[in-house]
Amino acid sequence: MSKNTQIYGIRAVMEAIESKEPIDKVYIQKGLKGHLSRELENLVRKEGIPASFVPLEKINKLSQNNHQGVVATISPISFQSMESLIDQVLAEKKDPLFLLLDGISDVRNLGAIIRTAECSGVDGIIMLKKGAAPITGDTVKTSAGAVFKIPIAKTDHIKDAVFYLKASGVTVVAATEKTNNLLYTLDLKGAVAVIMGAEDTGISPSILKESDHTAKLPLMGEIGSLNVSVACGIFLFEVVRQRMS
């Protein structure tokens, strides 16, 4: 892990959190004791920052410095709030295209998706704060730098973004194999948000229930699914195709 993407030491991590640095995750040594470590844990919970309690060996792999049992990874970009991103895009564009990511866990898949989103004219990406891949150096590389060109927001629950988008007049389309509706039967020319789910489990049932439409791709071979970044590209460029026709 590159030194410029991490902070180590209890006080340094606490100061970074309090300074609103874009921290993706905090790694804390299991069994770490002391007043400062308790303060850090309370601060992490208060700010809703993802944290993992890991063995000392894991911490040592992350950093060979005097880490005091704590290492935090920093995102190379700053994130907007979900509401401000949606409001800003809607104020600037009549028929915007949003992309919602419900738990993408692989950093390279995330990078490929962000690259495709930028190329297909997505106006904003909304992803989970917890339980999703962080934006790392690998993400930046796989995205070909697209992470710096498209607004990205994080939210506690994708369902919150679905509700906010629907209340703002945006049609929400969920990509899922658990439907009989084909993507190519939908009208995608207005304000649209496309949801892509996690690599292993897809979109959560509660989000599928709240979406305006569910849609799938017609698969002709024996394998029942596509890589999520490939499927995402097909969905987004169907929006492009319809808007250009």
Side-chain angles (χ1 to χ4, degrees), residues 105-122:
S105 60
D106 184 274
V107 294
R108 292 178 179 84
N109 275 342
L110 178 59
I113 286 170
I114 294 172
R115 181 175 183 172
T116 300
E118 201 281 330
C119 290
S120 59
V122 168

Side-chain angles (χ1 to χ4, degrees), residues 11-182:
R11 286 193 180 277
V13 171
M14 289 175 65
E15 289 172 5
I17 294 172
E18 290 168 347
S19 299
K20 304 301 180 183
E21 290 288 337
I23 293 176
D24 268 319
K25 192 167 189 176
V26 177
Y27 296 87
I28 302 172
Q29 180 185 331
K30 281 183 180 178
L32 195 62
K33 298 184 184 300
H35 175 68
L36 271 181
S37 65
R38 289 194 298 272
E39 275 192 36
L40 172 63
E41 291 178 28
N42 290 336
L43 184 60
V44 165
R45 281 193 292 269
K46 177 185 174 185
E47 297 297 327
I49 297 171
S52 288
F53 293 86
V54 298
L56 177 59
E57 292 78 11
K58 171 71 172 180
I59 300 288
N60 287 335
K61 285 182 180 179
L62 291 171
S63 175
Q64 287 74 50
N65 297 289
N66 182 22
H67 50 65
Q68 300 174 307
V70 175
V71 174
T73 56
I74 310 171
S75 172
I77 66 169
S78 296
F79 298 96
Q80 295 181 229
S81 73
M82 177 266 292
E83 294 89 350
S84 66
L85 185 151
I86 293 172
D87 290 346
Q88 181 179 340
V89 170
L90 289 173
E92 296 173 355
K93 195 163 183 180
K94 180 183 177 183
D95 294 321
L97 174 59
F98 296 93
L99 177 62
L100 278 56
L101 304 178
D102 183 25
I104 301 298
S105 60
D106 184 274
V107 294
R108 292 178 179 84
N109 275 342
L110 178 59
I113 286 170
I114 294 172
R115 181 175 183 172
T116 300
E118 201 281 330
C119 290
S120 59
V122 168
D123 298 291
I125 296 174
I126 300 169
M127 54 190 290
L128 284 169
K129 286 182 181 178
K130 296 181 180 180
I135 304 252
T136 66
D138 283 338
T139 313
V140 173
K141 183 177 180 180
T142 310
S143 79
V147 294
F148 303 116
K149 299 179 182 296
I150 184 167
I152 302 176
K154 285 193 171 184
T155 183
D156 290 318
H157 306 286
I158 292 297
K159 191 185 293 186
D160 293 340
V162 171
F163 288 147
Y164 200 87
L165 286 162
K166 289 174 66 174
S168 302
V170 178
T171 299
V172 177
V173 178
T176 177
E177 301 159 19
K178 302 170 185 176
T179 183
N180 293 320
N181 307 317
L182 292 179

